[in-house]
């Protein structure tokens, strides 16, 4: 019975296929996390703007993207938009769906960091002659990011786990390749191996988040 879940020979045979899937997962993570961090920052700056015409649309986008389940958003972009003549490859559909979803969550984290800073920081920076972009770049954003760094890292871990949903649109990431290996070998060992790879990939990140949280609480 245990060989159905832990067969070393099958794991060894499946490893090259799973490594290909891991490469695709990492590529997806780089795109989604990188763009998500940048997009979330701009959304948070818009959501904290004193200008209503900028703040309200940004807050509406954040609320909408956080309310929509990422899987629903992914299927809509991949399978729904082609009916409107907007067909795209699986990788692009996954990247756009997860970017929209994660930018909203990153924006909320950034906004918490921005709102945690006293107004005196803005006033002091402007009093030294810094322009608004310089104040944001050199004074406000670095402090805000430092204050919410554990939350940013925690959200990034969730993004990596979220990439497993890409298997539903047949993107050859780690979970998809593991499932293909399972269907060929009629054995669950490739799925166990995929879970082990996720664990090795994410466990250091989880420990890093815990370490930062303890550091900031001191």
């Amino acid at each position: 019975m245990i060989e159905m879940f832990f067969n070393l020979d099958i794991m060894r045979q499946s490893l090259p296929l799973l490594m290909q899937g891991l490469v695709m997962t990492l590529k997806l993570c780089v795109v989604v996390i990188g763009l998500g961090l940048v997009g979330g920052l701009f959304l948070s700056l818009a959501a904290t703007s004193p200008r209503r015409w900028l703040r309200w649309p940004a807050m509406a986008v954040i609320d909408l993207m956080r309310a929509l389940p990422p899987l629903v958003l992914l299927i809509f972009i991949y399978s729904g938009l082609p009916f409107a003549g907007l067909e795209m490859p699986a990788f692009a559909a996954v990247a756009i769906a997860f970017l929209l979803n994660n930018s909203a969550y990153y924006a909320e984290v950034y906004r918490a960091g921005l709102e945690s800073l006293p107004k005196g920081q803005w006033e002091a920076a402007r009093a030294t002659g810094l322009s608004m972009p310089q104040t944001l770049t050199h004074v406000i954003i670095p402090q805000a990011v430092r204050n919410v760094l554990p939350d940013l890292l925690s959200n990034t871990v969730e993004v990596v786990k979220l990439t497993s949903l890409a298997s539903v649109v047949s993107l050859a990431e780690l979970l998809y390749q593991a499932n293909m290996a399972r269907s060929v070998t009629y054995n669950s060992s490739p799925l166990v191996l995929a879970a082990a790879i996720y664990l090795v990939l994410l466990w250091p990140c989880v420990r890093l988040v815990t370490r930062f949280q303890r550091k900031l609480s001191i």
Side-chain angles (χ1 to χ4, degrees):
M1 181 66 179
I2 193 172
E3 288 189 355
M4 289 297 298
F5 300 97
F6 197 79
N7 189 307
L8 290 177
D9 289 335
I10 291 178
M11 287 183 175
R12 190 162 41 247
Q13 294 170 12
S14 305
L15 187 59
L17 189 62
L18 266 62
M19 286 298 100
Q20 294 177 15
L22 178 60
V23 171
M24 178 61 72
T25 294
L26 294 177
K27 287 181 180 178
L28 186 59
C29 288
V30 169
V31 172
V32 174
I33 293 172
L35 294 179
L37 286 168
V38 175
L41 178 59
F42 281 107
L43 266 179
S44 67
L45 292 174
T48 54
S49 171
R51 298 176 177 84
R52 292 183 180 180
W53 62 268
L54 188 59
R55 183 174 70 250
W56 287 359
M59 294 176 65
V61 170
I62 291 172
D63 288 344
L64 177 63
M65 290 300 106
R66 291 176 67 203
L68 277 175
L71 183 57
V72 173
L73 187 60
L74 171 58
I75 293 176
F76 173 76
I77 291 175
Y78 183 74
S79 301
L81 290 184
F83 288 98
L86 298 174
E87 192 168 356
M88 62 186 70
F91 187 91
V94 172
I96 292 173
F98 291 171
L99 169 62
L100 293 173
N101 179 262
N102 292 309
S103 291
Y105 283 96
Y106 279 127
E108 282 296 279
V109 175
Y110 280 126
R111 186 167 71 166
L114 292 171
E115 293 178 347
S116 70
L117 299 178
K119 291 184 179 179
Q121 294 286 338
W122 292 85
E123 296 169 356
R126 297 305 302 277
T128 62
L130 294 178
S131 65
M132 181 61 74
Q134 289 173 328
T135 299
L136 283 170
T137 304
H138 300 294
V139 179
I140 301 301
I141 292 177
Q143 292 186 74
V145 170
R146 184 182 60 190
N147 289 345
V148 295
L149 188 56
D151 294 322
L152 287 174
L153 291 174
S154 180
N155 195 71
T156 299
V157 171
E158 294 302 317
V159 173
V160 178
K161 292 191 288 186
L162 188 67
T163 58
S164 62
L165 293 180
S167 60
V168 303
V169 295
S170 300
L171 183 67
E173 46 75 58
L174 180 56
L175 180 60
Y176 180 85
Q177 297 289 53
N179 200 37
M180 289 297 99
R182 176 203 56 80
S183 65
V184 171
T185 60
Y186 299 99
N187 191 287
S188 298
S189 296
L191 294 175
V192 175
L193 181 57
I197 293 173
Y198 276 118
L199 184 61
V200 170
L201 185 65
L202 294 175
W203 180 258
C205 299
V206 172
R207 296 307 306 162
L208 186 61
V209 170
T210 303
R211 183 177 178 182
F212 274 116
Q213 287 173 337
R214 288 176 179 172
K215 227 173 163 184
L216 291 177
S217 64
I218 296 176

